[in-house]
Amino acid sequence: MLELKNISFAYGEKQVLQNINISIEKGKIIGVLGKNGVGKTTLFEIIAQWKKNFNGETLLENETLLRAQVGYLEAKPTFYSMITGREHLNVFKVRFPDFDIDGWNSIFELPLDEIVDYYSTGMKKRLALMMLLSADAPVILLDEPFLGLDVEASIDLEKIINTLKERGKIILIASHTLSALQKLSDKIYHFSGGKVEQTFDKESFDELDGYMKEYFSNNHQDIVDKLL
Amino acid sequence: MILQLTLSILNLRRKQISRILADLGILRLLMLFIFYSFFQFFLIHIKELHAFFVDAALLSLLSAAQANRKDEKILLQLMKFPILYYLLENLIWVLLFTWGIAFSPSNYLYPILLFLPLITSFLPTNRSIESQGFVLPIPFSASAYDWRSGMRNGGAWGIIVAIVLTVIGLFRFEFLLIGIVVSSISIFGFYTQNEPRQILYAVADTSTSFLKKKIKQMALLFLLINSFALLIGLVFYFQVFYVVAYLFLGSFFVLFLMILQKYITYEPNTNFRANTFIIAFYYISIFIPFLIPLPLIVGIRSWKRANRQLSYYF
């Protein structure tokens, strides 16, 4: 089980996250929802151990979570130019010899011998996801995985995420795509003002659309007025 | 091969050809050709044997033009008829050096200058290596991604020019030295991209071990490229071999400084812009006795600073 206990983080004077407490079991997918700047990416960077000076604890099976135990797919993954997908993955294979590139590629279906610069956005996302699976990390963080993907690529990615779930990974997805989150997640957390504003279980997903509409009209009436 | 070439040409439409010519930067190469021709004509006219120095410089200039074409996307299209592409590319080389062979007072060296660039054309560029029928030998770890990227970004040309100059070094000592300098300048170009964080973590656990790996890989590459020059220096110029060895070590040290400069300013997913003035200054410093301590002191300080910068991400 992944446990986030009392996570708080501030950029200087600005408090971004306040006392976040979340527990996630193996083989579960958690959706994280919230407007831009609410702290979703910061939370992911804390879980990925990319940020050091945060308050609180990140535990996996009651032990401090290590960077190697987390695979983090950034919203806009970047690559080293002019090397192929396979050459990218080989960098990881040197470190993690058990990483079965061709085995995983039977799921990801990437043209691994092509230069990555020529990949489509969807292919780049899939390659980035494959790279982070090299360490067989138990925790997977996906920041805006559907950003810039067409319908077909999104469906492919959904299938891959479900495969990872079946393999017992703990998956956190931050996304603005409500429908995809509803389809994939076991639980959805709505973040607002650096805190968990509302939590939705699978059973209460039907209320999510209404809640978001109400939340938007309550908190962003000025924008609605401008639009109208 | 000729049949394949003919078929490739027949398959092309006129518009496609003109677009390809434009995208290849043919005008830029043409300008260089005219520039080169003028010099060649002038040097032949005055029967100046040192034409070779100018030839070497212009050869480097042409290679730089090739390296900076930025036509990766075009290459993707061109791979449908690669022979035509290579013909266009090599036509310029062939014309230049045929002229050289015909009129130069020292024409016996021109076949070498002609032959080696032709070979380079068959080196992998931006497309998968398999499609060229060539596989790059992997002399060291698969995690040494810089040189693969650098070679495909045009660095192969710089390396080949360095090797060509080394071969000419069999006849003239100065070329051996120029070859070492050109190879180090080419390797500079391999370290322009700051790697994403995931790659950083995949390569090493700590900033120190990451830097050590980078330096080790660079040293291997530099030694590999210049081993021929060192061998020629040892066998043919034994009495002045210390000059070759000093230049080799000095160039290695400047490369070492350059890599440290890159990681002093490291930020994931960005490009490193080397301060060429400072690098040139370090290069000059290693040849001026009273300035030698300067790059050494800078080296120690840079190592600490690069380590500190990287440790922020580790």
Side-chain angles (χ1 to χ4, degrees):
Chain A
M1 179 185 276
L2 173 72
E3 290 173 278
L4 310 177
K5 289 186 174 176
N6 300 318
I7 301 289
S8 297
F9 185 83
Y11 286 108
E13 295 290 301
K14 194 188 173 195
Q15 194 72 33
V16 181
L17 293 171
Q18 294 175 49
N19 291 322
I20 305 294
N21 289 288
I22 296 175
S23 299
I24 313 157
E25 286 170 25
K26 267 186 177 178
K28 297 282 179 195
I29 298 178
I30 295 297
V32 180
L33 202 60
K35 64 175 184 178
N36 290 336
V38 80
K40 301 188 296 289
T41 302
T42 305
L43 178 69
F44 278 17
E45 287 184 352
I46 287 170
I47 301 170
Q49 311 297 307
W50 283 18
K51 293 210 182 294
K52 292 168 187 170
N53 50 341
F54 65 92
N55 291 321
E57 284 180 294
T58 52
L59 303 171
L60 183 69
E61 309 302 345
N62 294 321
E63 301 218 353
T64 305
L65 185 66
L66 304 171
R67 186 189 290 144
Q69 292 173 315
V70 186
Y72 177 23
L73 175 73
E74 292 173 273
K76 285 181 186 167
T78 47
F79 303 90
Y80 211 81
S81 74
M82 301 314 290
I83 59 173
T84 65
R86 189 178 296 281
E87 284 164 349
H88 269 96
L89 295 166
N90 278 339
V91 175
F92 291 82
K93 192 165 170 67
V94 171
R95 186 68 189 276
F96 309 106
D98 293 336
F99 179 38
D100 179 8
I101 295 174
D102 292 312
W104 276 109
N105 200 39
S106 61
I107 300 168
F108 284 78
E109 295 175 341
L110 286 165
L112 289 181
D113 296 316
E114 295 269 324
I115 300 280
V116 173
D117 296 25
Y118 304 137
Y119 278 21
S120 67
T121 310
M123 284 152 89
K124 280 181 179 169
K125 289 252 167 163
R126 268 152 46 208
L127 178 66
L129 192 54
M130 203 166 154
M131 277 158 65
L132 65 87
L133 291 172
S134 59
D136 199 21
V139 181
I140 304 288
L141 310 173
L142 309 174
D143 193 359
E144 295 294 352
F146 303 104
L147 188 75
L149 299 191
D150 58 31
V151 178
E152 205 176 321
S154 297
I155 292 168
D156 285 345
L157 189 61
E158 281 174 20
K159 279 181 197 164
I160 290 167
I161 293 170
N162 276 321
T163 309
L164 296 176
K165 183 186 174 179
E166 283 162 19
R167 293 187 181 203
K169 306 280 182 198
I170 296 168
I171 303 170
L172 279 94
I173 307 173
S175 178
H176 295 295
T177 317
L178 202 58
S179 57
L181 279 187
Q182 282 173 311
K183 212 188 293 179
L184 290 166
S185 311
D186 295 294
K187 209 173 196 178
I188 294 176
Y189 289 88
H190 175 231
F191 274 60
S192 179
K195 290 183 285 191
V196 176
E197 181 81 13
Q198 188 71 264
T199 310
F200 295 90
D201 289 322
K202 225 171 174 70
E203 296 75 38
S204 56
F205 278 180
D206 296 341
E207 302 161 19
L208 197 57
D209 284 331
Y211 167 80
M212 288 312 291
K213 277 177 193 160
E214 196 186 326
Y215 174 82
F216 191 79
S217 60
N218 287 342
N219 292 278
H220 304 284
Q221 192 56 48
D222 51 337
I223 301 172
V224 177
D225 291 342
K226 269 183 201 169
L227 287 171
L228 295 173
Chain B
M1 186 173 160
I2 293 166
L3 180 71
Q4 209 177 338
L5 174 67
T6 316
L7 286 172
S8 300
I9 295 168
L10 286 175
N11 284 336
L12 286 170
R13 274 176 266 159
R14 212 174 53 188
K15 272 186 181 175
Q16 277 178 310
I17 294 176
S18 58
R19 199 184 64 220
I20 290 159
L21 286 173
D23 289 336
L24 273 173
I26 207 84
L27 279 176
R28 189 167 22 174
L29 286 175
L30 199 65
M31 289 295 284
L32 285 167
F33 174 69
I34 293 164
F35 179 57
Y36 180 95
S37 306
F38 171 75
F39 266 92
Q40 190 78 303
F41 177 77
F42 174 71
L43 291 165
I44 291 167
H45 189 70
I46 61 166
K47 295 188 171 20
E48 175 57 69
L49 195 66
H50 287 91
F52 285 121
F53 284 102
V54 180
D55 284 345
L58 290 167
L59 192 65
S60 309
L61 202 62
L62 278 166
S63 301
Q66 295 277 9
N68 287 302
R69 275 196 322 252
K70 304 282 179 202
D71 57 357
E72 296 95 326
K73 302 279 178 199
I74 304 303
L75 266 172
L76 193 70
Q77 296 172 18
L78 286 169
M79 285 311 293
K80 289 173 193 164
F81 34 90
I83 292 171
L84 178 69
Y85 167 67
Y86 290 129
L87 184 83
L88 285 171
E89 193 166 88
N90 285 300
L91 199 63
I92 293 149
W93 297 102
V94 172
L95 283 174
L96 288 177
F97 293 108
T98 308
W99 190 0
I101 291 164
F103 299 108
S104 170
S106 314
N107 54 17
Y108 57 92
L109 285 179
Y110 276 89
I112 301 168
L113 289 168
L114 173 65
F115 180 64
L116 288 169
L118 277 170
I119 290 175
T120 65
S121 276
F122 291 94
L123 279 175
T125 49
N126 301 330
R127 288 283 292 167
S128 59
I129 296 155
E130 287 74 13
S131 65
Q132 294 300 308
F134 280 83
V135 177
L136 273 179
I138 300 172
F140 35 79
S141 169
S143 63
Y145 43 83
D146 315 89
W147 72 276
R148 284 187 182 81
S149 171
M151 292 286 266
R152 289 184 193 131
N153 261 328
W157 289 97
I159 300 299
I160 291 299
V161 169
I163 293 168
V164 170
L165 291 167
T166 305
V167 173
I168 302 169
L170 277 167
F171 307 97
R172 289 185 73 112
F173 180 66
E174 308 91 294
F175 281 84
L176 203 60
L177 304 180
I178 298 169
I180 293 173
V181 174
V182 170
S183 74
S184 63
I185 291 169
S186 304
I187 294 174
F188 283 156
F190 291 5
Y191 296 92
T192 53
Q193 198 186 346
N194 285 324
E195 42 277 270
R197 274 176 100 148
Q198 282 87 348
I199 289 185
L200 207 66
Y201 300 145
V203 172
D205 281 325
T206 62
S207 53
T208 311
S209 74
F210 181 84
L211 279 177
K212 279 182 184 169
K213 274 187 187 177
K214 282 276 151 182
I215 304 295
K216 193 178 152 195
Q217 282 164 1
M218 180 275 287
L220 265 169
L221 183 66
F222 191 54
L223 180 66
L224 194 81
I225 291 166
N226 285 301
S227 52
F228 193 40
L230 290 172
L231 195 69
I232 289 175
L234 201 62
V235 175
F236 293 95
Y237 305 104
F238 184 70
Q239 297 209 323
V240 283
F241 179 68
Y242 67 92
V243 179
V244 181
Y246 184 75
L247 183 67
F248 175 81
L249 290 173
S251 301
F252 167 75
F253 193 73
V254 174
L255 271 170
F256 166 75
L257 287 177
M258 211 278 302
I259 289 180
L260 292 182
Q261 289 295 320
K262 176 186 167 182
Y263 290 105
I264 283 172
T265 55
Y266 174 82
E267 202 178 314
N269 313 328
T270 56
N271 282 329
F272 166 63
R273 283 178 179 270
N275 188 329
T276 43
F277 176 77
I278 289 180
I279 299 290
F281 180 71
Y282 292 151
Y283 229 125
I284 293 163
S285 299
I286 60 169
F287 298 109
I288 301 171
F290 70 89
L291 282 178
I292 289 172
L294 187 74
L296 293 174
I297 295 164
V298 172
I300 296 165
R301 197 163 166 266
S302 299
W303 176 269
K304 287 179 183 168
R305 286 178 65 198
N307 221 330
R308 194 168 56 232
Q309 177 69 12
L310 276 176
S311 64
Y312 175 76
Y313 295 98
F314 273 96

